Structure formats: C-alpha cells, structure tokens
Amino acid sequence: MTEEERERLLDKLDLAQKVRLLAGATTWRTVAEPAVGLRPMVISDGPVGVRGESWDERIASVLLPSPSALAAMWDDELVERLGNLLAAEARRKGVHVVLAPTLNLHRSPLGGRHFECFSEDPELAARAGAALIRGIQAHGVAAAAKHYVANDSETERLTVDVRMSERALREVYLAPFEAAVTAGVRVVMAGYNSVDGATMTENPLLAEPLKRRWGFDGVVVSDWGAVRSTVASALAAHDLAMPGPQTSWGPALVRAVQEGAVPSAVVDDKARRVLRLADRVGVLGPPGRDQGGRTGVDDERALLRRAVAAGSVLLSNDGVLPLDPAAPGTVAVIGTHAVRPRVQGGGSAGVHPRHVVTPLDALGEALGDTARVLHLPGPDPGVGPLPLDDGLCRDPRSGRPGVLVRALDADGGELFAEHRLSGRQLEPPIPPGTECVEVSAVLTPTVDGVWTFGVAGFGRMTLTVDGRPVVDGTFPRETDDPAVVHVDPPGRHGRIRLSGARDVQIVARRELDHDSGRAVVVTAEPPAPPADTAIAEAVEAARTCDSAIVFVGTTPDSESEGRDRQELALPGRQDELVRAVAAANPRTVVVVNAGSPVELPWRREVAAVLLCWFPGQEAGSGLADVLFGAAEPAGRLPTTWAARLADAPVTGTRPIGGVLDYDEGLHIGHRAWLRAGTEPAYWFGHGLGYTTWDHERLDAPAAVDDDVPWTVRVHVRNTGPRRGREVVQVYLAKPGSAVERPVRWFAGFAAVEADPGERVTAEIGVSPRALRHWCEAEAAWHVEPGVWHVLTGRSAGDLGLTATVLLRRRNA
Ligand code: BGC
C-alpha cells in the first residue's frame, strides 16, 4: 500500500477510532478496525524464542542461545540466520511483532538482564542487533528494539532515573538503537526507566534523535504498562500503549484532544504509524499476506547446534581440549548443570522449549561404547524448588503425567478443569465466576527425607500435602513489576518429611483478588544429599577417571529480569567442587553455564575453561561437538570479565534517591579497565579456538577523509594444527586529543578462516562514526583532524600491531 492509500484510510476514521488504534486490545494484540480493513497485530516476546500469545507449557518454541552468546559469535551472518529462525517461529505462531533485540548494554556485570543484552560495547551490540533485526524482518515480521534507552540494570527498574552526560548518551547508549533504525527496525520499545527526569514513554528522546534526526518511521511501543500518563505521553512521540485493554490513553486521550490539551495531529501521526506497521506486517488490506512464506531455515536443530559451538568461548586451554573421541578413556562428568543445564535466563522472554539436549546425554551419545561416562551431581548449587512437572508427578484425576488445574467458584464448585504438564501456571484458565485456582498432583517421592513444597503468587494461598498444611497465609502484592506479578511471583515454602515410595497428594490453592495477576506456581524440592558427601564422591570419580568435565553455573535465582545480582560468585559450593576435582585430576575441564560474568577463582588450577553461556535447546549436542573437536569453540567475549567483582571498575546498579548516575561517562567495559590501568581475568574480545595464529602485518591507509569509510587489512597466518576461525579486531586511539576520550575503543572486526599454514587477510571496515565525537556545546558530531592510532589484534588487551592514519576534514 502506498503512503497516500494509507492516508485515505486514516481519513475514514474519527477521533475515537484513531485513539483505539493506539492501545492494545489484549495483553498481546492490537485492535482491529474493520472500517479500514485492519486486523489485529499479534506481539510476542523474544529474543530467545517466540512464545506466542500465551504462557502455556503445551505450546513449545524453538529456543536459541541467549543474546550474550549471540554477540559472542562475532558473526553477523549466523546471527542473521538465527533471526530468520525467530521469523519462522513468528510466522508459525501467527505473530507479527517480535519484541527483540534487547539493545541495552552490559554496563555493570551485576545487571540482572545481562544475559539478554549483547555486549558492553556499543559497536558490537549495534552489529549483533542489526544482524538479528535483518534476520527477523526478512520475512515480513517486525522486530522491536528495546528498551529505549539506558535500561541497563533492574534495581527500581520501573522508576529509576538515569543521569549521564549527553556525550555518553549519544556515543554509547543510543548508538545500538541508531544502528537498529539504520537497519530498518519497525518498532522501538520505550523502557520503564527515566532519563534525565522524564520517564521514557514521555521522554523528549523519542522525538529527538529517534524520529527526527534518525528518521524512524515505525511505531514506538511502551514496555508493558510503561504508559502512566495521558497528556505527557501523548505529547511525547510515543505511539502505542501496551498491553490493553485498560491503559491511560483510550477515552482519556479522546477527552484530552477534545479539550485541546493534545493536538489532533499528534493522534493522527501515531495512528498513521500504526497503520504503516500493520501494512508492513501484512494485516492491513486483503487478508493472507501475513500467512506462510519461506523463512530460509531448513534444519533448525542443526543450526541451533552449530550456534552453541559458534558462541562458546574457550577461555583457557593447556592442550587438554579437544578430547580425543577415539581414545577418551573414562570420563567423569560432574555437576548438576550436566543434567539440568540452564538454557535460558529468567523473566518475560522465557519460552517452553520443545526439548533440551542435556550435556550428559549428548556426551554419552558422542562416545557410544568407546568410553565409560560416570555422572556425579556434586553438591546442590542451589537450583531451588522446581515447578511440578510431568517427570515428577501425575494428574490425580486422569493419572497422566503432569498436574490437574481447576477453576473453582466461591463455594468450591468446579467451573473448569484441565490436565496440564507443569505446576507453573502463569495464565491458568479462569472462566467468569472463578474465585480460586487449584493445582493438584500425585507425587511418588523419589527419596526419603525432608521435602520442600511451595506455592507462588499473591493473595490468599494454601498448600497441603496429604491434607497436612504446608503453606497457609495471605500474601499481599508488594510490587507493580509485571515481570514479578505475572511471570515470577515470590514463593512461600514449607517442609515436610516423606518416607517410603508412597504416593502423596499435593493440593495448592490461590484465591484470586483483583489486580494481582493470576499466576500460580507450585514447586517441590527433594532433600539434597549432604554437600560434603557429594563433593567427596565427585572427587573420587575424578581420581579414577582419565579426565573430568565439571559443569558449573548460575541458578534461576541469580540471573533474571526484575532484579540485579548481588555478587558474581558461583552459587553454593561449586568453587570448592572445582578445586577439589582439579586437585584429583590434572585433566579437568570446566564448562561454565552462565549468561553473565561469574568469578572463576580456580581458573589457573584447571586444564581448560569453556564458557557456553545459556546455550538454548541444543546445549548438549553443541557442547559435545566442542569438547570432542567436531566443532571449534568460535566465540570471543563480548564483555570483559573481572577476576573479582571488587576489581570491576563499573558496577553500580543501585539508585540513590531514585537516581542512578552513570558518572563513568564514556568509560564502560574495556574502556573502564584501560582507564583504571587494571587487568581483568579476560578482556573483551578474548577467546582461543583450537588453533594458533600469527598476526603478521597491518595495512592501514596513510590518510583518510572524515566522511568516508575506510579499510584496515590484517594479514594473519594459521600456525596451528587445524583449520580455524580468527576474529581480528580493530581499536582506535587519539593520543593527546583535545577532548576526553577512552584510552582506546573498539572500531570493528572481521572473521577469517584458514587451514594450517595458510595466510589470509582480514579486511575490517571502519566507519566515519568511529572517529567522531559528540560535541555537547553544538549538539552535533565533530571530528578532530590529525594523527590517529590504529591497533589490531585478538582482544582489547592483546593488540600486537599498530599503525597511524592522518584524518583529514573534508569541509574544513
Ligand atoms: C519487559 C519487556 C517485555 C515485556 C512484555 C516487560 O516486563 O521489560 O522486555 O517485552 O515485559 O513481556
């Protein structure tokens, strides 16, 4: 449809009809307007998968590695292919807008959504984000860049007011969003937070630079529930208030226009944008355009398996890896994460994966009969109570694996009942008249001892085991955060001793009160064996085996939307476990399963450390490929990892008096470490692979113009025993600059592949923006002509080649 045709449609609508277009019809749908042939747009969370319109464990999704792993790939093409996979999922589920990518930065390692963001570096985040957007949008689906802007931590996330210099804002935090707009992103999500005193749905940054300077012609959608005013948010360049149907717009906005507080042209512009988006995703005009279509991903499991290796970062290796699959000997596989890997982080982005390949299963399959694999769980890392599921219990009515969910009226009469697979019911069915939701199950205890049962939600809740009360109380809602209320409400727990393999009946009830959501989550946790015994058994297995692979990682408590982390230490006694195993077996490999930085105090005591992030559904098979050398661990760190939290130069996530000051300015990530002159455990860009490289020569142009992109060429040679992939990185510096600058900053990368002994040339493009700085006095980008330094190498801390270029200003 042309702009004129859409304009004619807009003219057919009266004020109330236009205003209706600007708010959700439901939690995940926009409104339809038959008068102009507009059907609803369906919106779903990303970025690790496309959940669809409901939280229903029976509706499975493909599960990608989390974004910190995507950025660790340093591979635009692969990230774009993974975006294609999200597009395919969106098509399959009738979704038109995928709420991804998350473009906030790894400012502090404590950031609760670190795993969901790409990098500490604006350039790398921009590239990964643009690649994912291209992939998602290649098939008529819209991507949504979120959360605009400076929503980099979670503490007080609904209200925090972030303050920073205009220069840091433009050069660092806005940069990935600017790249998203350049990549053609169709939706931008305004965050909950404030910047400079104005909440993002009312913030002047929506108009300038987003819509004016950058020319964004799509829709600004609110984060869920982030529109908290009528006039101020309408006057800001905000377009669509989600979710619906209750919002601060609707009739209140109609009145505000009628009373002259909001010009009607403002509403027209928003409605115009909504129609444009609807047209782009195929729900305006003749039906059918949003159906079917090729998505270009034939073998999703193979792609996701490849993605695990592509994002895994080999942090250290004394030569133990890859293990020889032909002569593996006996292998001790240690740790809970080997059987219960963390494949995604917590929060609104969660999906129900179709399956998860566990590392233990995949290692067993890779080795077949050639090796003996022993698994020892080690001490409980503190995974905590897990929702009842079809592996643990049965529906008391049908006897099928799973639970029974019932909706009850005020007299306890059954209004609805259904068999479900999980005790985590975020949107249980509640027909009219429902007063109470009940989840019940029969459990056959697998071990004797004190079990912990729990029920999560708000309001009055009870939980009984064989009629004995375990939880009984009223728990008022103490937050407005939708990620807490609807996704991860707090649990109340009680303990009870169970013995003998005798069935017990679990019945949990939650009375619904208005405004506290309807989520109810019923959990069970078996007694853990004593940690000392678990460590001793793991050590004994390691001592008798030829090699040991220890899986360590974070727990659901430590990486989630809605809260920041308090520390970077691995939970429980995992550090002690690694140290004890490494002391017993010199061939100890540690696999770190975490979406964000963790402290690895034993990193020099083990033979190899492999970081797999949250690797998605094919976790195990991808990791087996890496451990046995079928694939190279091709990832590089997208973020600098501190040895200890105390060393990290920027950590603050706690607002003071509601204000969070980014007083480090431009200096986050490796820039902060360089300024402090201290050494991290691993620099931004670090990662080893399975071969070695010599960076032989750097060619940079002698002189460049300030408005023309230029190319750096680095000639490298594969000096190791096998084909490999090298990520060649370019950094810039301007010694003696008249303006404040980072010691050096990342300007671009290229990846090359070569066989043993082969020489190849990496060509890295440098954009003029990498040499510009934001001049606050003139509110414009400036350049500083003169001599600049170009440094290239393997990480922010390993740059062996340097050159100088003369920067000329063309219009001086
Ligand atoms: C999150 C967003 C998410 C939205 C919808 C919010 O709480 O911050 O990232 O897209 O919920 O689930």
Side-chain angles (χ1 to χ4, degrees):
M1 223 177 257
T2 63
E3 205 68 44
E4 291 71 36
E5 286 168 320
R6 285 197 300 266
E7 208 56 29
R8 279 200 289 279
L9 295 181
L10 190 62
D11 286 345
K12 287 191 189 171
L13 302 177
D14 63 22
L15 174 64
Q17 285 172 311
K18 287 176 193 165
V19 167
R20 274 188 69 239
L21 301 190
L22 309 182
T26 69
T27 309
W28 303 113
R29 277 184 181 231
T30 59
V31 298
E33 181 49 82
V36 293
L38 173 69
R39 294 177 298 290
M41 288 183 271
V42 177
I43 305 177
S44 170
D45 264 310
V48 291
V50 182
R51 193 173 55 246
E53 276 189 277
S54 60
W55 281 97
D56 185 327
E57 73 285 359
R58 296 165 298 185
I59 301 174
S61 307
V62 297
L63 175 59
L64 276 59
S66 296
S68 50
L70 264 47
M73 294 171 188
W74 300 60
D75 186 339
D76 298 348
E77 204 183 314
L78 182 55
V79 173
E80 193 171 331
R81 299 263 305 145
L82 292 163
N84 289 160
L85 193 48
L86 292 176
E89 280 287 274
R91 285 285 184 155
R92 186 169 74 79
K93 295 188 173 184
V95 167
H96 305 101
V97 180
V98 178
L99 299 175
T102 307
L103 294 178
N104 303 114
L105 295 180
H106 293 166
R107 174 176 171 268
S108 161
L110 297 172
R113 289 180 97 166
H114 199 104
F115 67 90
E116 200 186 313
C117 305
F118 291 116
S119 174
E120 68 187 15
D121 186 84
E123 171 68 16
L124 188 66
R127 280 201 42 182
L132 199 71
I133 289 165
R134 286 195 301 273
I136 294 172
Q137 296 198 158
H139 304 290
V141 176
K146 67 189 187 183
H147 311 83
Y148 188 80
V149 59
N151 181 186
D152 308 291
S153 49
E154 295 294 283
T155 310
E156 299 177 24
R157 71 172 182 144
L158 302 186
T159 53
V160 60
D161 182 15
V162 175
R163 303 284 167 109
M164 70 177 101
S165 69
E166 185 66 20
R167 196 171 157 210
L169 184 62
R170 298 279 171 158
E171 293 185 25
V172 181
Y173 296 93
L174 284 173
F177 289 94
E178 184 173 3
V181 173
T182 306
V185 77
R186 291 171 178 148
V187 177
V188 169
M189 181 190 280
Y192 293 120
N193 58 300
S194 297
V195 171
D196 257 341
T199 192
M200 285 314 303
T201 50
E202 301 170 12
N203 200 291
L205 290 167
L206 296 176
E208 177 59 47
L210 177 64
K211 286 187 175 172
R212 288 198 206 116
R213 188 182 284 254
W214 300 348
F216 174 63
D217 69 354
V219 166
V220 174
V221 66
S222 63
D223 200 339
W224 263 226
V227 170
R228 289 164 283 203
S229 64
T230 305
V231 174
S233 52
L235 289 179
H238 185 272
D239 302 313
L240 177 63
M242 288 298 290
Q246 257 78 53
T247 70
S248 310
W249 287 8
L253 181 53
V254 173
R255 273 196 306 280
V257 176
Q258 287 162 343
E259 287 162 6
V262 174
S264 60
V266 162
V267 167
D268 285 352
D269 182 61
K270 299 179 197 307
R272 183 177 295 125
R273 286 169 180 270
V274 170
L275 289 183
R276 188 183 293 137
L277 175 64
D279 190 18
R280 286 174 169 167
V281 300
V283 297
L284 185 64
R289 278 196 301 133
D290 62 329
Q291 307 296 315
R294 281 187 54 75
T295 55
V297 181
D298 298 328
D299 187 347
E300 62 192 35
R301 288 198 64 179
L303 177 64
L304 291 171
R305 178 172 179 163
R306 195 183 132 210
V308 177
S312 291
V313 183
L314 186 57
L315 294 173
S316 64
N317 184 15
D318 72 357
V320 68
L321 288 182
L323 300 169
D324 182 356
T330 47
V331 185
V333 175
I334 295 166
T336 305
H337 289 78
V339 284
R340 289 223 305 257
R342 284 205 78 199
V343 290
Q344 61 182 327
S348 56
V351 300
H352 301 286
R354 249 177 246 164
H355 63 256
V356 170
V357 182
T358 71
L360 184 65
D361 285 348
L363 290 171
E365 190 168 315
L367 293 175
D369 296 335
T370 57
R372 202 160 71 88
V373 176
L374 293 181
H375 177 245
L376 282 304
D380 175 11
V383 175
L386 291 173
L388 302 181
D389 67 21
D390 51 343
L392 191 67
C393 45
R394 304 189 303 283
D395 175 340
R397 193 169 280 177
S398 65
R400 291 158 65 196
V403 305
L404 178 69
V405 177
R406 301 202 300 152
L408 307 176
D409 66 18
D411 305 321
E414 180 176 304
L415 298 172
F416 182 83
E418 103 181 305
H419 168 75
R420 298 293 291 256
L421 304 174
S422 169
R424 185 170 185 243
Q425 293 295 322
L426 301 187
E427 293 171 342
I430 46 167
T434 303
E435 292 280 325
C436 172
V437 173
E438 180 194 271
V439 176
S440 60
V442 177
L443 178 137
T444 314
T446 41
V447 274
D448 288 359
V450 177
W451 283 63
T452 306
F453 292 95
V455 54
F458 294 103
R460 171 134 184 79
M461 297 191 297
T462 58
L463 187 147
T464 59
V465 176
D466 274 350
R468 285 180 286 168
V470 175
V471 176
D472 186 349
T474 301
F475 311 97
R477 172 168 70 88
E478 67 286 270
T479 173
D480 289 334
D481 191 332
V484 178
V485 177
H486 303 294
V487 181
D488 190 15
R492 326 290 160 168
H493 301 101
R495 291 153 160 262
I496 192 162
R497 178 174 293 280
L498 302 179
S499 58
R502 192 181 58 78
D503 287 353
V504 292
Q505 305 274 341
I506 303 158
V507 180
R509 287 187 174 177
R510 181 189 161 191
E511 287 174 19
L512 298 178
D513 60 358
H514 69 287
D515 231 19
S516 291
R518 54 180 157 142
V520 48
V521 184
V522 187
T523 57
E525 186 182 12
D532 288 336
T533 318
I535 293 176
E537 286 171 359
V539 168
E540 183 52 21
R543 202 181 52 74
T544 56
C545 284
D546 296 306
S547 45
I549 309 175
V550 189
F551 288 82
V552 295
T554 52
T555 59
D557 250 3
S558 51
E559 289 185 81
S560 177
E561 176 181 339
R563 54 183 181 268
D564 290 316
R565 295 197 293 164
Q566 304 303 318
E567 56 175 2
L568 302 186
L570 285 168
R573 290 171 65 179
Q574 297 183 88
D575 287 335
E576 195 184 330
L577 171 73
V578 173
R579 283 206 155 109
V581 170
N585 190 323
R587 288 168 56 82
T588 293
V589 175
V590 182
V591 179
V592 180
N593 182 192
S596 327
V598 286
E599 291 170 354
L600 310 172
W602 33 258
R603 64 191 188 284
R604 295 203 182 88
E605 299 162 35
V606 300
V609 183
L610 178 69
L611 166 63
C612 72
W613 310 102
F614 293 152
Q617 67 179 51
E618 304 300 325
S621 38
L623 273 171
D625 289 345
V626 170
L627 291 167
F628 293 108
E632 187 181 37
R636 303 289 185 266
L637 284 180
T639 284
T640 305
W641 278 39
R644 296 174 318 149
L645 174 61
D647 300 343
V650 180
T651 55
T653 58
R654 282 204 203 125
I656 298 172
V659 172
L660 186 60
D661 250 311
Y662 286 14
D663 45 21
E664 71 284 352
L666 307 174
H667 309 275
I668 65 163
H670 54 284
R671 300 165 172 201
W673 288 89
L674 289 165
R675 183 165 73 154
T678 50
E679 276 287 315
Y682 305 107
W683 285 101
F684 171 82
H686 172 73
L688 295 177
Y690 282 154
T691 186
T692 50
W693 298 86
D694 197 3
H695 288 217
E696 295 181 328
R697 205 179 78 238
L698 153 65
D699 292 333
V704 298
D705 292 320
D706 68 344
D707 55 353
V708 181
W710 43 284
T711 303
V712 173
R713 292 188 175 76
V714 183
H715 307 278
V716 299
R717 190 165 70 92
N718 180 348
T719 52
R722 56 179 276 165
R723 186 173 174 80
R725 177 178 185 269
E726 176 72 329
V727 177
V728 182
Q729 303 160 37
V730 173
Y731 297 77
L732 297 176
K734 182 85 180 83
S737 171
V739 293
E740 184 198 351
R741 293 182 188 274
V743 176
R744 57 178 175 266
W745 61 98
F746 175 67
F749 73 94
V752 288
E753 287 192 18
D755 286 321
E758 193 187 349
R759 286 195 164 83
V760 283
T761 301
E763 298 199 344
I764 301 112
V766 178
S767 100
R769 174 59 67 80
L771 296 91
R772 292 184 186 156
H773 64 273
W774 181 258
C775 169
E776 297 188 349
E778 293 181 23
W781 292 100
H782 276 198
V783 287
E784 194 181 5
V787 176
W788 290 62
H789 288 189
V790 177
L791 303 92
T792 67
R794 316 194 68 240
S795 79
D798 179 5
L799 298 169
L801 299 173
T802 54
T804 53
V805 291
L806 181 69
L807 178 67
R808 294 179 302 222
R809 191 153 47 196
R810 276 245 273 215
N811 299 317

